[in-house]
Amino acid sequence: MHSQSSGPGPKLSDPVDVITWGGRLPSRRRAVLGGLSGLGIALGGNLGGCTSFLLGLDGGQLAGRLRADVLIPVRGIKRCVYGGAGNGFEFTYPATWLGDQTLAYRAAKRAEAARGGPPTFGSRRDDFDDSEFPALSPSRRPAAQQSRGAEVAEPVVAFGPPGTTGEENVSVIAAPIMPGFSLDSLGGPRDAAERFLASLAPPSSGLEARLFSAEGRTDGSQLYYTLEYTVRGPRFFRHNVSVYTARSNQLYTFNAQCPETRWQEDAAALLASAASFRLT
């Protein structure tokens, strides 16, 4: 019995001849490019979580610098980047949380009204009523802004667990403030915290606020105050971590919150999110 065929065909004793029978082997360049293309698809699509794993090997530092974690979860977190250099901010949040679609809906409606698009709430553009979009935190809405058409400082971005009511989330508000305002004009972190909580839960409000910590940090010349506190009302008991900073007559407020009953589960993620907040 012969070990190889006697007629036309590959030499069975030669593996290369067997592989090339019926076609040529690809060139080394084509083989390398094909391999790199496959690797790029696997990494870009995070197939099997391989990209998340690789980017997390250094603790996510490279992913943070490259902002790769905006699209790809790294060590269980993603990054929100809003605005551009000089007028934006960024922070991290749990990768399983989703963006608040209500905010996107409100922003789209207001943009449509500003462009003079088809009216939604009346027969004329002048009938657009911003009060159709209530504040996310109506209890904190100043009385002077209760009138029709008054501007309300609402979050520009917010993320929370899918299918929840908004009691558990992270958000950022950017609102105008008096020209020349600086955070240290309020005093140190604890002085500023006590003033904030006194306005948040005045004696006649039926609310009770308790401060746990107040700290300051700097990023270059940018000053941040971080407060951890709880607010209790007749129907809620909430744990908050808030970060305040000011730039170019804008006050930026980052807030991470959850029901007090979930604080033990959420504390690490919310504190890390607050620590990551910075202006860009």
Side-chain angles (χ1 to χ4, degrees), residues 208-278:
E208 177 187 351
R210 178 185 177 189
L211 178 66
F212 289 91
S213 66
E215 300 176 350
R217 61 177 168 92
T218 57
D219 180 9
S221 61
Q222 191 67 41
L223 177 63
Y224 302 82
Y225 284 172
T226 301
L227 321 179
E228 182 188 340
Y229 58 95
T230 57
V231 180
R232 183 196 295 265
R235 303 179 63 180
F236 70 91
F237 189 12
R238 189 177 299 133
H239 207 118
N240 296 67
V241 183
S242 297
V243 183
Y244 297 89
T245 191
R247 181 178 65 186
S248 302
N249 303 327
Q250 290 274 321
L251 178 66
Y252 295 84
T253 304
F254 169 93
N255 187 59
Q257 66 177 29
C258 69
E260 178 63 20
T261 55
R262 285 200 52 82
W263 176 247
Q264 292 301 318
E265 292 82 3
D266 288 354
L270 297 187
L271 289 170
S273 186
S276 72
F277 176 70
R278 58 181 292 270

Side-chain angles (χ1 to χ4, degrees), residues 9-23:
K11 296 179 181 179
L12 300 182
S13 61
D14 185 348
V16 174
D17 194 40
V18 174
I19 293 173
T20 58
W21 175 252

Side-chain angles (χ1 to χ4, degrees), residues 16-35:
V16 174
D17 194 40
V18 174
I19 293 173
T20 58
W21 175 252
R24 296 174 58 85
L25 281 171
S27 67
R28 179 175 297 178
R29 177 174 178 273
R30 289 181 60 190
V32 171
L33 290 177

Side-chain angles (χ1 to χ4, degrees), residues 28-208:
R28 179 175 297 178
R29 177 174 178 273
R30 289 181 60 190
V32 171
L33 290 177
L36 290 177
S37 298
L39 179 61
I41 292 171
L43 293 178
N46 197 28
L47 298 180
C50 63
T51 311
S52 293
F53 172 76
L54 293 173
L55 291 176
L57 291 177
D58 66 346
Q61 296 181 18
L62 178 61
R65 290 196 298 270
L66 298 178
R67 294 179 173 174
D69 48 1
V70 171
L71 297 175
I72 298 172
V74 178
R75 299 177 69 88
I77 66 172
K78 293 182 73 174
R79 184 178 305 271
C80 171
V81 177
Y82 184 92
N87 66 350
F89 56 82
E90 65 177 56
F91 61 91
T92 62
Y93 62 94
T96 57
W97 288 15
L98 303 178
D100 189 325
Q101 296 303 307
T102 304
L103 292 177
Y105 177 79
R106 276 197 288 265
K109 291 299 183 183
R110 289 183 179 129
E112 182 66 20
R115 291 193 298 267
T120 304
F121 299 106
S123 59
R124 307 188 316 277
R125 178 174 177 269
D126 292 341
D127 290 332
F128 178 81
D129 185 356
D130 192 62
S131 66
E132 294 284 348
F133 306 102
L136 295 184
S137 302
S139 62
R140 294 179 58 184
R141 185 176 179 180
Q145 293 183 349
Q146 297 292 334
S147 61
R148 182 181 187 273
E151 292 185 2
V152 179
E154 290 188 342
V156 291
V157 293
F159 296 87
T164 57
T165 61
E167 285 290 296
E168 184 180 7
N169 64 24
V170 294
S171 63
V172 178
I173 293 175
I177 200 165
M178 66 183 69
F181 171 83
S182 63
L183 202 59
D184 54 8
S185 67
L186 300 175
R190 183 160 291 273
D191 292 332
E194 291 174 352
R195 294 178 62 176
F196 168 70
L197 294 185
S199 65
L200 180 64
S204 60
S205 66
L207 303 177
E208 177 187 351

